[in-house]
Amino acid sequence: MAIFDKFEQLAEERRRLLEGGVSVDPLDTVMGRVLSPTEAIVEGRRTILAGTNNYLGLTFDPDCVEAAAEAARWEGTGTTGSRMANGTYSSHAALEQELADFFGRKTAIVFSTGYQANLGILSSLIGPDDTILLDADCHASIYDGVRLSGAETFRFRHNRVEDLERRLRRLRDRSGEVVVLVEGIYSMLGDRAPLAEIAEVTKAHGAYLIVDEAHSLGVLGETGRGRAEEAGVEAAVDFVIGTFSKSLGAIGGYCVSDYPELDLLRYTSRPYIFTASPSPSIIASTREALRILQERPELRVRLWENAERLYRHLEGLGFRLGPEVSPVVAPRLPRAEDALALWQGLLEAGVYVNLVLPPATPDDSSLLRCSVSAGHTPEQMEAICTAFSELRDLAHGA
Ligand code: PMP
């Protein structure tokens, strides 16, 4: 059909990649049965999950599961309505208050996904008369939100504060507001934003600073509030955006801020208004996970022990990785075919990681994106490391 002609090149690239005889499509892997935060049956085999964003391993936490089940029993399976209509329950409001309290902020808004949190905040808060400076490696949801805002947008080079500063200087005489957008930890290579420096130049130029802490909530900072807390610059961050789908083990998104006017977005933000609100069980398990995140800092300690272990092991094997130890550990391979062969080898050895191919990667390389969890046992970490050691030779030139 002619309407699909535009996908021909994509279809051809996929055919070529899969010709090598892979038995599982790496971009469409089916988890036959998920057994725990760190194990599933994939292709009939018990497999260690080393490619999720389940940083604190809370998806099977008994308190979270029980809270979700109880909420479904008492409030039903779904809200069947928008926050603006029938979809605001007392639990949505309670979670917003708990998020605001946790971050020490005045206001919080909950969205149905993290993707929608970026879409909803950026498209509504920023207008066509404003100007955006965003880190080139920002997530697709940030790019999409920015596009919907209609603002003129400039990308600065990833984590290059001098490039950001140069562009801020150039914008000095613009009318409208200037907004700087960065992430706490970047999802592909696991590197952190140099947030103290970014905050300093952003504030020196009177611009607003928005930080997406999707991968850093529960992971960084003394109390798990993320990169801004770790860098000691929370006061300079105007809006924090994040998700429930990683360390909190559910689905949903949020924005917190000290501006009470943030509440006005409830009447203007289309991705907030024109979609159903999160189901009661999602809100219930997220509230429980947020409590656990605060009460069990040892989870964060275990997460970082596992991160250190995998990063140092893969570094020792000579893989090219992101620049620093992080729960996201991503060997970069120059050739997609090698990445696919190694991905398949790992899966046959009982280890699942994420295969990420260009153009979704920051440079032209392919990534075997691993992410560790506080839920990985020492034995599982050993098995992941052993599988990489045994398959190292498949990664030519890496
Ligand atoms: N922001 C970042 C930085 C992300 O990595 C992601 C998801 N990978 C999102 C937002 C979207 O979050 P969600 O999957 O919860 O919609």
CSV table of all heavy atoms in Angstrom, one decimal, residues 296-356:
chain,number,residue,atom,x,y,z
A,296,ARG,N,14.0,3.4,52.9
A,296,ARG,CA,15.0,2.4,52.7
A,296,ARG,C,16.2,2.8,51.9
A,296,ARG,O,16.3,2.4,50.7
A,296,ARG,CB,14.3,1.1,52.1
A,296,ARG,CG,13.3,0.5,53.1
A,296,ARG,CD,12.6,-0.7,52.5
A,296,ARG,NE,13.6,-1.8,52.1
A,296,ARG,CZ,13.3,-2.8,51.3
A,296,ARG,NH1,12.1,-2.9,50.8
A,296,ARG,NH2,14.2,-3.7,51.0
A,297,PRO,N,17.0,3.7,52.4
A,297,PRO,CA,18.1,4.2,51.6
A,297,PRO,C,19.1,3.1,51.3
A,297,PRO,O,19.9,3.3,50.3
A,297,PRO,CB,18.8,5.3,52.6
A,297,PRO,CG,18.2,5.0,53.9
A,297,PRO,CD,16.9,4.4,53.8
A,298,GLU,N,19.0,2.0,52.0
A,298,GLU,CA,19.9,0.9,51.7
A,298,GLU,C,19.7,0.4,50.2
A,298,GLU,O,20.6,-0.2,49.6
A,298,GLU,CB,19.8,-0.2,52.7
A,298,GLU,CG,18.5,-1.0,52.7
A,298,GLU,CD,17.4,-0.3,53.6
A,298,GLU,OE1,17.5,0.8,53.9
A,298,GLU,OE2,16.4,-1.0,53.9
A,299,LEU,N,18.5,0.6,49.7
A,299,LEU,CA,18.3,0.2,48.3
A,299,LEU,C,19.2,0.9,47.3
A,299,LEU,O,19.7,0.4,46.4
A,299,LEU,CB,16.8,0.4,47.9
A,299,LEU,CG,15.8,-0.5,48.6
A,299,LEU,CD1,14.4,0.0,48.2
A,299,LEU,CD2,16.0,-1.9,48.3
A,300,ARG,N,19.3,2.2,47.6
A,300,ARG,CA,20.2,3.1,46.8
A,300,ARG,C,21.7,2.6,46.9
A,300,ARG,O,22.4,2.6,45.9
A,300,ARG,CB,20.1,4.5,47.2
A,300,ARG,CG,20.3,5.5,46.1
A,300,ARG,CD,19.5,6.8,46.3
A,300,ARG,NE,19.5,7.4,47.6
A,300,ARG,CZ,18.5,7.5,48.4
A,300,ARG,NH1,17.3,6.9,48.0
A,300,ARG,NH2,18.6,8.0,49.5
A,301,VAL,N,22.1,2.2,48.1
A,301,VAL,CA,23.4,1.8,48.3
A,301,VAL,C,23.7,0.5,47.5
A,301,VAL,O,24.7,0.4,46.8
A,301,VAL,CB,23.7,1.5,49.8
A,301,VAL,CG1,25.0,0.8,50.1
A,301,VAL,CG2,23.5,2.8,50.6
A,302,ARG,N,22.7,-0.4,47.6
A,302,ARG,CA,22.9,-1.7,46.8
A,302,ARG,C,22.9,-1.4,45.3
A,302,ARG,O,23.7,-2.0,44.6
A,302,ARG,CB,21.8,-2.7,47.2
A,302,ARG,CG,22.3,-4.1,47.2
A,302,ARG,CD,21.2,-5.1,47.6
A,302,ARG,NE,20.6,-4.7,48.9
A,302,ARG,CZ,19.3,-5.0,49.1
A,302,ARG,NH1,18.5,-5.5,48.2
A,302,ARG,NH2,18.7,-4.7,50.3
A,303,LEU,N,22.1,-0.5,44.9
A,303,LEU,CA,22.0,-0.2,43.4
A,303,LEU,C,23.4,0.3,43.0
A,303,LEU,O,23.9,-0.1,41.9
A,303,LEU,CB,21.0,1.0,43.2
A,303,LEU,CG,21.0,1.6,41.8
A,303,LEU,CD1,20.4,0.6,40.8
A,303,LEU,CD2,20.1,2.9,41.9
A,304,TRP,N,24.0,1.2,43.8
A,304,TRP,CA,25.4,1.7,43.4
A,304,TRP,C,26.5,0.7,43.5
A,304,TRP,O,27.4,0.7,42.7
A,304,TRP,CB,25.7,3.0,44.2
A,304,TRP,CG,24.9,4.1,43.5
A,304,TRP,CD1,23.7,4.6,43.9
A,304,TRP,CD2,25.3,4.8,42.4
A,304,TRP,NE1,23.3,5.6,43.1
A,304,TRP,CE2,24.3,5.8,42.1
A,304,TRP,CE3,26.4,4.8,41.5
A,304,TRP,CZ2,24.3,6.7,41.0
A,304,TRP,CZ3,26.4,5.7,40.4
A,304,TRP,CH2,25.4,6.6,40.2
A,305,GLU,N,26.3,-0.3,44.4
A,305,GLU,CA,27.3,-1.4,44.5
A,305,GLU,C,27.2,-2.2,43.2
A,305,GLU,O,28.3,-2.5,42.6
A,305,GLU,CB,27.0,-2.3,45.7
A,305,GLU,CG,27.5,-1.7,47.0
A,305,GLU,CD,26.9,-2.5,48.2
A,305,GLU,OE1,26.2,-3.5,48.0
A,305,GLU,OE2,27.2,-2.0,49.3
A,306,ASN,N,26.0,-2.5,42.7
A,306,ASN,CA,25.8,-3.2,41.5
A,306,ASN,C,26.3,-2.5,40.3
A,306,ASN,O,26.9,-3.0,39.4
A,306,ASN,CB,24.4,-3.6,41.4
A,306,ASN,CG,24.0,-4.7,42.4
A,306,ASN,OD1,24.8,-5.4,42.9
A,306,ASN,ND2,22.7,-4.9,42.6
A,307,ALA,N,26.1,-1.2,40.3
A,307,ALA,CA,26.5,-0.3,39.2
A,307,ALA,C,28.0,-0.3,39.1
A,307,ALA,O,28.6,-0.5,38.0
A,307,ALA,CB,26.0,1.1,39.4
A,308,GLU,N,28.7,-0.2,40.2
A,308,GLU,CA,30.2,-0.1,40.3
A,308,GLU,C,30.7,-1.5,39.8
A,308,GLU,O,31.7,-1.5,39.0
A,308,GLU,CB,30.6,0.1,41.7
A,308,GLU,CG,32.0,0.2,42.0
A,308,GLU,CD,32.7,1.5,41.7
A,308,GLU,OE1,31.9,2.5,41.7
A,308,GLU,OE2,33.9,1.6,41.4
A,309,ARG,N,30.1,-2.5,40.2
A,309,ARG,CA,30.5,-3.9,39.9
A,309,ARG,C,30.5,-4.1,38.3
A,309,ARG,O,31.5,-4.5,37.7
A,309,ARG,CB,29.6,-4.9,40.6
A,309,ARG,CG,29.8,-6.3,40.2
A,309,ARG,CD,30.4,-7.1,41.3
A,309,ARG,NE,31.0,-8.4,40.8
A,309,ARG,CZ,30.4,-9.5,40.9
A,309,ARG,NH1,29.3,-9.7,41.5
A,309,ARG,NH2,31.0,-10.6,40.4
A,310,LEU,N,29.4,-3.8,37.7
A,310,LEU,CA,29.2,-4.0,36.3
A,310,LEU,C,30.1,-3.1,35.5
A,310,LEU,O,30.8,-3.5,34.5
A,310,LEU,CB,27.7,-3.9,35.9
A,310,LEU,CG,27.5,-4.3,34.4
A,310,LEU,CD1,27.8,-5.7,34.1
A,310,LEU,CD2,26.0,-4.1,34.0
A,311,TYR,N,30.1,-1.8,35.9
A,311,TYR,CA,30.9,-0.9,35.1
A,311,TYR,C,32.4,-1.2,35.1
A,311,TYR,O,33.0,-1.3,34.1
A,311,TYR,CB,30.7,0.5,35.7
A,311,TYR,CG,31.3,1.6,34.9
A,311,TYR,CD1,30.6,2.3,33.9
A,311,TYR,CD2,32.7,2.0,35.0
A,311,TYR,CE1,31.2,3.4,33.2
A,311,TYR,CE2,33.3,3.0,34.3
A,311,TYR,CZ,32.5,3.7,33.4
A,311,TYR,OH,33.1,4.7,32.6
A,312,ARG,N,32.9,-1.6,36.3
A,312,ARG,CA,34.3,-1.9,36.4
A,312,ARG,C,34.6,-3.2,35.6
A,312,ARG,O,35.7,-3.3,35.0
A,312,ARG,CB,34.7,-2.1,37.9
A,312,ARG,CG,34.7,-0.8,38.7
A,312,ARG,CD,35.6,0.3,38.2
A,312,ARG,NE,35.3,1.6,38.8
A,312,ARG,CZ,35.4,2.8,38.3
A,312,ARG,NH1,35.8,2.9,37.0
A,312,ARG,NH2,35.2,3.9,39.0
A,313,HIS,N,33.7,-4.1,35.7
A,313,HIS,CA,33.9,-5.4,35.0
A,313,HIS,C,34.0,-5.2,33.4
A,313,HIS,O,34.9,-5.6,32.8
A,313,HIS,CB,32.9,-6.4,35.3
A,313,HIS,CG,33.1,-7.8,34.7
A,313,HIS,ND1,34.0,-8.7,35.2
A,313,HIS,CD2,32.6,-8.3,33.5
A,313,HIS,CE1,34.0,-9.7,34.4
A,313,HIS,NE2,33.2,-9.5,33.4
A,314,LEU,N,33.0,-4.4,32.9
A,314,LEU,CA,33.0,-4.2,31.5
A,314,LEU,C,34.1,-3.3,31.0
A,314,LEU,O,34.7,-3.5,30.0
A,314,LEU,CB,31.6,-3.6,31.1
A,314,LEU,CG,30.4,-4.5,31.3
A,314,LEU,CD1,29.2,-3.9,30.7
A,314,LEU,CD2,30.6,-5.9,30.7
A,315,GLU,N,34.5,-2.4,31.9
A,315,GLU,CA,35.6,-1.5,31.6
A,315,GLU,C,36.9,-2.4,31.5
A,315,GLU,O,37.7,-2.3,30.6
A,315,GLU,CB,35.8,-0.5,32.7
A,315,GLU,CG,36.9,0.5,32.6
A,315,GLU,CD,36.9,1.5,33.8
A,315,GLU,OE1,36.9,1.0,35.0
A,315,GLU,OE2,36.9,2.7,33.6
A,316,GLY,N,37.0,-3.3,32.4
A,316,GLY,CA,38.2,-4.3,32.4
A,316,GLY,C,38.2,-5.1,31.2
A,316,GLY,O,39.3,-5.5,30.8
A,317,LEU,N,37.1,-5.4,30.6
A,317,LEU,CA,37.0,-6.2,29.4
A,317,LEU,C,37.3,-5.4,28.2
A,317,LEU,O,37.4,-5.9,27.1
A,317,LEU,CB,35.6,-6.9,29.2
A,317,LEU,CG,35.3,-8.0,30.2
A,317,LEU,CD1,33.8,-8.4,30.0
A,317,LEU,CD2,36.2,-9.2,30.1
A,318,GLY,N,37.5,-4.1,28.4
A,318,GLY,CA,37.9,-3.2,27.3
A,318,GLY,C,36.8,-2.6,26.5
A,318,GLY,O,37.0,-2.0,25.4
A,319,PHE,N,35.5,-2.7,27.0
A,319,PHE,CA,34.4,-2.1,26.3
A,319,PHE,C,34.5,-0.6,26.5
A,319,PHE,O,34.9,-0.1,27.5
A,319,PHE,CB,33.1,-2.6,26.9
A,319,PHE,CG,32.7,-3.9,26.4
A,319,PHE,CD1,32.7,-5.0,27.3
A,319,PHE,CD2,32.2,-4.1,25.1
A,319,PHE,CE1,32.4,-6.3,26.8
A,319,PHE,CE2,31.8,-5.4,24.7
A,319,PHE,CZ,31.9,-6.5,25.5
A,320,ARG,N,34.0,0.1,25.4
A,320,ARG,CA,33.9,1.6,25.5
A,320,ARG,C,32.5,1.9,26.1
A,320,ARG,O,31.5,1.4,25.6
A,320,ARG,CB,33.9,2.1,24.1
A,320,ARG,CG,34.3,3.6,24.0
A,320,ARG,CD,34.9,3.9,22.6
A,320,ARG,NE,33.9,3.7,21.5
A,320,ARG,CZ,33.0,4.6,21.1
A,320,ARG,NH1,33.1,5.8,21.6
A,320,ARG,NH2,32.2,4.3,20.1
A,321,LEU,N,32.6,2.6,27.3
A,321,LEU,CA,31.3,2.8,28.1
A,321,LEU,C,31.1,4.3,28.1
A,321,LEU,O,31.8,5.1,27.6
A,321,LEU,CB,31.5,2.2,29.5
A,321,LEU,CG,31.9,0.8,29.6
A,321,LEU,CD1,32.3,0.4,31.0
A,321,LEU,CD2,30.8,-0.2,29.1
A,322,GLY,N,30.0,4.6,28.8
A,322,GLY,CA,29.8,6.0,29.2
A,322,GLY,C,30.9,6.5,30.1
A,322,GLY,O,31.7,5.7,30.6
A,323,PRO,N,31.0,7.9,30.3
A,323,PRO,CA,32.1,8.4,31.0
A,323,PRO,C,32.2,8.2,32.5
A,323,PRO,O,33.2,8.4,33.1
A,323,PRO,CB,32.0,9.9,30.7
A,323,PRO,CG,30.6,10.1,30.5
A,323,PRO,CD,30.0,8.9,29.8
A,324,GLU,N,31.1,7.7,33.1
A,324,GLU,CA,31.2,7.5,34.6
A,324,GLU,C,30.4,6.3,35.1
A,324,GLU,O,29.4,5.9,34.4
A,324,GLU,CB,30.8,8.8,35.3
A,324,GLU,CG,29.4,9.2,34.9
A,324,GLU,CD,29.0,10.5,35.6
A,324,GLU,OE1,29.2,10.7,36.8
A,324,GLU,OE2,28.4,11.4,34.9
A,325,VAL,N,30.7,5.8,36.2
A,325,VAL,CA,29.9,4.7,36.8
A,325,VAL,C,28.5,5.2,37.0
A,325,VAL,O,28.2,6.3,37.5
A,325,VAL,CB,30.5,4.3,38.2
A,325,VAL,CG1,29.6,3.3,38.9
A,325,VAL,CG2,31.9,3.8,38.0
A,326,SER,N,27.5,4.4,36.7
A,326,SER,CA,26.1,4.7,36.7
A,326,SER,C,25.3,3.5,36.7
A,326,SER,O,25.7,2.4,36.2
A,326,SER,CB,25.8,5.6,35.5
A,326,SER,OG,24.4,5.6,35.2
A,327,PRO,N,24.0,3.5,37.2
A,327,PRO,CA,23.2,2.3,37.0
A,327,PRO,C,22.9,2.0,35.6
A,327,PRO,O,22.5,0.9,35.3
A,327,PRO,CB,21.9,2.7,37.8
A,327,PRO,CG,22.3,3.8,38.7
A,327,PRO,CD,23.4,4.5,38.0
A,328,VAL,N,23.1,2.9,34.7
A,328,VAL,CA,23.0,2.6,33.2
A,328,VAL,C,24.4,2.4,32.8
A,328,VAL,O,25.2,3.3,32.8
A,328,VAL,CB,22.3,3.8,32.4
A,328,VAL,CG1,22.4,3.5,30.9
A,328,VAL,CG2,20.9,4.0,32.9
A,329,VAL,N,24.7,1.2,32.3
A,329,VAL,CA,26.1,0.8,31.8
A,329,VAL,C,25.9,0.4,30.4
A,329,VAL,O,25.2,-0.6,30.1
A,329,VAL,CB,26.7,-0.3,32.7
A,329,VAL,CG1,28.2,-0.5,32.3
A,329,VAL,CG2,26.6,0.0,34.2
A,330,ALA,N,26.5,1.1,29.5
A,330,ALA,CA,26.2,0.9,28.1
A,330,ALA,C,27.4,0.7,27.2
A,330,ALA,O,28.0,1.7,26.7
A,330,ALA,CB,25.3,2.1,27.5
A,331,PRO,N,27.8,-0.6,26.9
A,331,PRO,CA,28.9,-0.8,26.0
A,331,PRO,C,28.5,-0.3,24.6
A,331,PRO,O,27.4,-0.5,24.2
A,331,PRO,CB,29.1,-2.3,26.0
A,331,PRO,CG,28.4,-2.8,27.2
A,331,PRO,CD,27.3,-1.8,27.5
A,332,ARG,N,29.5,0.5,24.0
A,332,ARG,CA,29.2,1.1,22.7
A,332,ARG,C,30.0,0.3,21.6
A,332,ARG,O,31.2,0.1,21.7
A,332,ARG,CB,29.7,2.5,22.6
A,332,ARG,CG,28.8,3.5,23.3
A,332,ARG,CD,29.2,4.9,22.9
A,332,ARG,NE,30.0,5.5,24.0
A,332,ARG,CZ,30.3,6.8,24.0
A,332,ARG,NH1,30.1,7.5,23.0
A,332,ARG,NH2,31.0,7.2,25.1
A,333,LEU,N,29.2,-0.2,20.6
A,333,LEU,CA,29.9,-1.0,19.6
A,333,LEU,C,29.8,-0.3,18.2
A,333,LEU,O,28.7,0.2,17.9
A,333,LEU,CB,29.2,-2.4,19.5
A,333,LEU,CG,29.7,-3.4,20.5
A,333,LEU,CD1,29.2,-3.1,21.9
A,333,LEU,CD2,29.2,-4.8,20.1
A,334,PRO,N,30.9,-0.2,17.5
A,334,PRO,CA,30.8,0.5,16.2
A,334,PRO,C,29.9,-0.1,15.2
A,334,PRO,O,29.3,0.6,14.4
A,334,PRO,CB,32.2,0.5,15.7
A,334,PRO,CG,33.1,-0.2,16.7
A,334,PRO,CD,32.2,-0.7,17.8
A,335,ARG,N,29.8,-1.5,15.2
A,335,ARG,CA,29.0,-2.1,14.2
A,335,ARG,C,27.7,-2.7,14.7
A,335,ARG,O,27.7,-3.5,15.7
A,335,ARG,CB,29.8,-3.2,13.5
A,335,ARG,CG,31.0,-2.7,12.7
A,335,ARG,CD,31.9,-3.8,12.2
A,335,ARG,NE,31.5,-5.1,12.4
A,335,ARG,CZ,31.3,-6.0,11.4
A,335,ARG,NH1,31.6,-5.6,10.1
A,335,ARG,NH2,31.0,-7.2,11.6
A,336,ALA,N,26.6,-2.4,14.1
A,336,ALA,CA,25.3,-2.9,14.5
A,336,ALA,C,25.2,-4.4,14.5
A,336,ALA,O,24.6,-5.0,15.4
A,336,ALA,CB,24.1,-2.3,13.7
A,337,GLU,N,25.8,-5.0,13.5
A,337,GLU,CA,25.8,-6.5,13.4
A,337,GLU,C,26.5,-7.1,14.6
A,337,GLU,O,26.0,-8.2,15.1
A,337,GLU,CB,26.6,-7.0,12.1
A,337,GLU,CG,26.1,-6.5,10.8
A,337,GLU,CD,26.7,-5.1,10.5
A,337,GLU,OE1,26.6,-4.2,11.3
A,337,GLU,OE2,27.2,-5.0,9.4
A,338,ASP,N,27.6,-6.6,15.1
A,338,ASP,CA,28.3,-7.1,16.3
A,338,ASP,C,27.4,-6.9,17.5
A,338,ASP,O,27.3,-7.8,18.4
A,338,ASP,CB,29.6,-6.4,16.5
A,338,ASP,CG,30.6,-6.7,15.4
A,338,ASP,OD1,30.4,-7.7,14.7
A,338,ASP,OD2,31.5,-5.9,15.2
A,339,ALA,N,26.8,-5.8,17.6
A,339,ALA,CA,25.9,-5.5,18.7
A,339,ALA,C,24.8,-6.5,18.8
A,339,ALA,O,24.4,-7.1,19.8
A,339,ALA,CB,25.3,-4.1,18.7
A,340,LEU,N,24.2,-6.8,17.6
A,340,LEU,CA,23.1,-7.8,17.5
A,340,LEU,C,23.6,-9.2,17.9
A,340,LEU,O,22.9,-9.9,18.7
A,340,LEU,CB,22.5,-7.8,16.1
A,340,LEU,CG,21.3,-8.6,15.9
A,340,LEU,CD1,20.2,-8.2,16.8
A,340,LEU,CD2,20.9,-8.5,14.4
A,341,ALA,N,24.8,-9.6,17.4
A,341,ALA,CA,25.3,-10.9,17.7
A,341,ALA,C,25.6,-11.0,19.2
A,341,ALA,O,25.2,-12.1,19.8
A,341,ALA,CB,26.6,-11.1,16.9
A,342,LEU,N,26.1,-10.0,19.8
A,342,LEU,CA,26.4,-10.0,21.2
A,342,LEU,C,25.1,-10.0,22.0
A,342,LEU,O,25.0,-10.8,23.0
A,342,LEU,CB,27.3,-8.8,21.6
A,342,LEU,CG,27.8,-8.8,23.1
A,342,LEU,CD1,28.4,-10.1,23.5
A,342,LEU,CD2,28.8,-7.6,23.2
A,343,TRP,N,24.1,-9.3,21.6
A,343,TRP,CA,22.8,-9.2,22.3
A,343,TRP,C,22.2,-10.6,22.3
A,343,TRP,O,21.7,-11.1,23.3
A,343,TRP,CB,21.9,-8.2,21.5
A,343,TRP,CG,20.5,-8.1,22.2
A,343,TRP,CD1,20.2,-7.4,23.2
A,343,TRP,CD2,19.4,-8.9,21.8
A,343,TRP,NE1,18.9,-7.6,23.5
A,343,TRP,CE2,18.3,-8.5,22.7
A,343,TRP,CE3,19.1,-9.9,20.8
A,343,TRP,CZ2,17.1,-9.0,22.6
A,343,TRP,CZ3,17.8,-10.4,20.7
A,343,TRP,CH2,16.8,-10.0,21.6
A,344,GLN,N,22.3,-11.3,21.1
A,344,GLN,CA,21.7,-12.6,21.0
A,344,GLN,C,22.4,-13.6,21.8
A,344,GLN,O,21.8,-14.5,22.5
A,344,GLN,CB,21.7,-13.0,19.5
A,344,GLN,CG,21.5,-14.5,19.3
A,344,GLN,CD,20.2,-14.7,18.6
A,344,GLN,OE1,19.3,-13.8,18.5
A,344,GLN,NE2,20.0,-15.9,18.0
A,345,GLY,N,23.8,-13.5,21.8
A,345,GLY,CA,24.6,-14.4,22.7
A,345,GLY,C,24.3,-14.3,24.1
A,345,GLY,O,24.1,-15.2,24.9
A,346,LEU,N,24.1,-13.0,24.6
A,346,LEU,CA,23.8,-12.8,26.0
A,346,LEU,C,22.4,-13.4,26.3
A,346,LEU,O,22.2,-14.0,27.3
A,346,LEU,CB,23.7,-11.3,26.2
A,346,LEU,CG,25.1,-10.6,26.3
A,346,LEU,CD1,24.9,-9.0,26.3
A,346,LEU,CD2,25.8,-10.9,27.6
A,347,LEU,N,21.4,-13.2,25.4
A,347,LEU,CA,20.1,-13.8,25.6
A,347,LEU,C,20.2,-15.3,25.7
A,347,LEU,O,19.6,-15.9,26.6
A,347,LEU,CB,19.1,-13.3,24.5
A,347,LEU,CG,17.7,-13.6,24.8
A,347,LEU,CD1,17.2,-12.8,26.0
A,347,LEU,CD2,16.8,-13.3,23.6
A,348,GLU,N,21.0,-15.9,24.9
A,348,GLU,CA,21.1,-17.4,24.9
A,348,GLU,C,21.8,-17.8,26.2
A,348,GLU,O,21.6,-18.9,26.7
A,348,GLU,CB,21.8,-17.9,23.7
A,348,GLU,CG,20.9,-17.9,22.5
A,348,GLU,CD,21.7,-18.0,21.2
A,348,GLU,OE1,22.9,-18.3,21.2
A,348,GLU,OE2,21.0,-17.9,20.1
A,349,ALA,N,22.6,-16.9,26.7
A,349,ALA,CA,23.3,-17.2,28.0
A,349,ALA,C,22.4,-16.9,29.2
A,349,ALA,O,22.8,-16.9,30.4
A,349,ALA,CB,24.6,-16.4,28.1
A,350,GLY,N,21.2,-16.4,28.9
A,350,GLY,CA,20.3,-16.1,30.0
A,350,GLY,C,20.3,-14.7,30.6
A,350,GLY,O,20.0,-14.5,31.7
A,351,VAL,N,20.8,-13.7,29.7
A,351,VAL,CA,20.9,-12.4,30.2
A,351,VAL,C,20.2,-11.4,29.2
A,351,VAL,O,20.6,-11.4,28.0
A,351,VAL,CB,22.4,-11.9,30.4
A,351,VAL,CG1,22.4,-10.4,30.8
A,351,VAL,CG2,23.0,-12.8,31.5
A,352,TYR,N,19.2,-10.7,29.6
A,352,TYR,CA,18.6,-9.8,28.7
A,352,TYR,C,19.1,-8.3,29.0
A,352,TYR,O,19.1,-7.9,30.1
A,352,TYR,CB,17.0,-9.8,28.9
A,352,TYR,CG,16.4,-8.7,28.2
A,352,TYR,CD1,16.0,-8.8,26.8
A,352,TYR,CD2,16.1,-7.4,28.8
A,352,TYR,CE1,15.5,-7.8,26.1
A,352,TYR,CE2,15.5,-6.4,28.1
A,352,TYR,CZ,15.2,-6.6,26.7
A,352,TYR,OH,14.7,-5.6,26.0
A,353,VAL,N,19.6,-7.7,27.9
A,353,VAL,CA,19.9,-6.3,27.9
A,353,VAL,C,19.2,-5.6,26.8
A,353,VAL,O,18.6,-6.2,25.9
A,353,VAL,CB,21.4,-6.0,27.8
A,353,VAL,CG1,22.2,-6.8,28.9
A,353,VAL,CG2,22.0,-6.4,26.4
A,354,ASN,N,19.2,-4.2,26.8
A,354,ASN,CA,18.5,-3.5,25.7
A,354,ASN,C,19.5,-3.3,24.5
A,354,ASN,O,20.6,-2.8,24.7
A,354,ASN,CB,18.1,-2.1,26.2
A,354,ASN,CG,17.3,-2.1,27.4
A,354,ASN,OD1,17.6,-1.4,28.4
A,354,ASN,ND2,16.2,-2.8,27.4
A,355,LEU,N,19.1,-3.6,23.4
A,355,LEU,CA,19.8,-3.3,22.2
A,355,LEU,C,19.3,-1.9,21.7
A,355,LEU,O,18.1,-1.8,21.4
A,355,LEU,CB,19.6,-4.4,21.1
A,355,LEU,CG,20.3,-4.1,19.8
A,355,LEU,CD1,21.8,-4.1,19.9
A,355,LEU,CD2,19.9,-5.1,18.7
A,356,VAL,N,20.2,-1.0,21.5
A,356,VAL,CA,19.8,0.3,21.0
A,356,VAL,C,20.6,0.7,19.8
A,356,VAL,O,21.8,0.7,19.8
A,356,VAL,CB,19.9,1.4,22.1
A,356,VAL,CG1,19.2,2.7,21.6
A,356,VAL,CG2,19.4,1.0,23.4
